[in-house]
């Protein structure tokens, strides 16, 4: 999705609450976890921005709505600047951002879901969907051999077009609601 089409699609939304996420896989994971928690997203739009560098455009577009979101911890600066410059309040720290409804994932949302499930359960999911043989071949690649299993799984999930979005739903559906990753749990509590 390019920025122009993303903004055009988003401009027509009438939801009172807008949850900004980096991409489509994050949208799918948030929606799946909301279902797992029995939360209705009526009146809530989960909007993928096509990358965190676009956050300011989306914050400006939805300045008159209740905003919330998830972001990767390494990308905090983009979110902080966008919220501060668009007069949503001081957002000088992760706690300040959380106070504004924006919650940090350590690496990204898929990483949070993999940790919540554990590598054994994620490998079982990979096997269930018929990707175990591909994953084993992937693990033999020189760049992957010495990586921890969690990092191999994370990288594998993002290697092929469409796989990341597909797995985002699968991972979120497999997480016990009691083990929901903290940033996602805090976000869902706002909705």
């Amino acid at each position: 999705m390019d920025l122009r089409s993303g903004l055009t699609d988003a401009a027509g939304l009438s939801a009172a609450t807008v949850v900004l996420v980096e991409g489509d896989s994050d949208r799918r994971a948030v929606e799946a976890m909301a279902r797992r928690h029995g939360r209705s997203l009526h009146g809530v739009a989960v909007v993928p921005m096509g990358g965190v560098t676009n956050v300011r455009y989306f914050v400006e577009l939805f300045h008159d709505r209740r905003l919330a979101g998830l972001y990767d911890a390494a990308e905090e600066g983009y979110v902080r600047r966008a919220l501060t410059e668009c007069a949503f309040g001081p957002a000088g720290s992760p706690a300040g951002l959380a106070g504004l409804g924006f919650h940090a994932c350590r690496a990204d949302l898929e990483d949070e879901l993999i940790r919540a499930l554990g590598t054994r359960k994620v490998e079982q999911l990979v096997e269930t969907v018929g990707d175990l043989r591909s994953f084993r071949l992937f693990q033999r690649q020189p760049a992957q051999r010495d990586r921890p299993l969690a990092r191999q799984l994370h990288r594998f999930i993002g290697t092929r077009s469409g796989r990341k979005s597909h797995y985002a739903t699968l991972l979120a559906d497999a997480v016990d609601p009691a083990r929901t990753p903290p940033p996602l749990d805090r976000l869902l509590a706002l909705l």
Side-chain angles (χ1 to χ4, degrees):
M1 167 183 74
D2 67 12
L3 176 60
R4 182 173 300 194
S5 64
L7 286 169
T8 301
D9 291 348
L13 296 173
S14 62
T17 300
V18 175
V19 176
L20 299 177
V21 294
E22 188 171 336
D24 190 59
S25 64
D26 298 327
R27 177 189 61 80
R28 289 177 181 228
V30 168
E31 291 173 348
M33 284 305 302
R35 280 192 308 276
R36 297 276 295 145
H37 280 263
R39 294 193 191 274
S40 167
L41 292 180
H42 180 72
V44 176
V46 182
V47 177
M49 300 180 294
V52 73
T53 59
N54 296 326
V55 67
R56 183 186 176 107
Y57 299 107
F58 286 88
V59 169
E60 288 173 349
L61 178 65
F62 295 117
H63 71 278
D64 59 342
R65 315 283 177 89
R66 180 173 173 232
L67 281 179
L70 292 173
Y71 63 93
D72 304 346
E75 310 295 348
E76 178 184 312
Y78 293 106
V79 178
R80 184 176 10 88
R81 277 189 300 280
L83 292 171
T84 301
E85 291 171 8
C86 293
F88 275 88
S93 68
L97 287 167
L100 295 173
F102 285 79
H103 304 280
C105 298
R106 282 190 214 171
D108 59 19
L109 187 51
E110 289 79 16
D111 172 64
E112 295 280 352
L113 292 168
I114 289 168
R115 278 188 287 106
L117 281 168
T119 56
R120 184 178 203 176
K121 181 90 172 183
V122 177
E123 273 191 300
Q124 290 170 346
L125 267 171
V126 169
E127 182 175 19
T128 299
V129 298
D131 284 341
L132 190 59
R133 184 176 186 281
S134 293
F135 178 61
R136 295 296 183 231
L137 290 171
F138 174 81
Q139 286 181 296
R140 289 188 212 135
Q141 293 177 2
Q144 301 305 320
R145 287 185 195 143
D146 295 330
R147 284 182 152 188
L149 180 56
R151 295 215 32 225
Q152 290 174 340
L153 287 162
H154 183 267
R155 181 69 186 117
F156 176 75
I157 287 169
T159 57
R160 195 175 68 199
S161 177
R163 183 183 279 160
K164 189 173 181 180
S165 289
H166 178 66
Y167 270 94
T169 303
L170 293 173
L171 293 170
D173 281 340
V175 171
D176 179 335
R179 294 190 46 84
T180 300
L184 188 49
D185 197 41
R186 290 189 295 268
L187 174 72
L188 292 173
L190 297 173
L191 306 180

